[in-house]
Amino acid sequence: MEVQGKIKMIGETQTFGNNGFRKREVVVTTEEQYPQHIMVEFVQDKTDLLNNFQVGQPVKISINLRGREWVNPQGETKYFNSIQGWRIEGAQQDAPAGMPPVPPADAFEPASDFKEEDHDDLPF
């Protein structure tokens, strides 16, 4: 799966435990009607992938969804999800290369000789 948007925040690398587990978080804001702020974590050697990126830069991040179960001391089972990144690359904000720009809707003339009773050959 992929998440695409602009980088809103890049966190510092954090180290946990005796084994030196490393984690670094990035927040990407999607560019859609209702923008979402998606936090993606990079772990271990993947934390270094964020070194070449900056806030405001458009990116595409390849992700895996992770889920885990935890039983608290009271015996209640809880579930947690995380979004883990494994690749990040710069993304183009414009149309893909080789694609002509789409003209605005008002650039097309409305059909003036259209009759409702005209038959079309569409199969549906």
Side-chain angles (χ1 to χ4, degrees), residues 7-12 24-27 50 53-55:
I7 294 176
K8 179 176 182 155
M9 183 277 301
I10 300 176
E12 295 296 321
R24 191 170 183 189
E25 298 171 341
V26 61
V27 175
L50 297 174
F53 293 91
Q54 303 145 10
V55 171

Side-chain angles (χ1 to χ4, degrees), residues 13-14 17 27-29 51 80:
T13 301
Q14 300 171 315
V27 175
V28 174
T29 302
N51 292 344
F80 297 92

Side-chain angles (χ1 to χ4, degrees), residues 57-69:
Q57 186 173 359
V59 292
K60 179 169 62 171
I61 302 176
S62 298
I63 62 167
N64 290 324
L65 294 177
R66 299 283 184 214
R68 57 195 170 281
E69 180 180 87

Side-chain angles (χ1 to χ4, degrees), residues 4 26 35 43 52 59 66 83 88 98 102 106 112 119:
Q4 193 163 339
V26 61
V43 298
N52 299 323
V59 292
R66 299 283 184 214
I83 302 170
I88 182 170
V102 177
D106 60 355
S112 58
H119 176 73

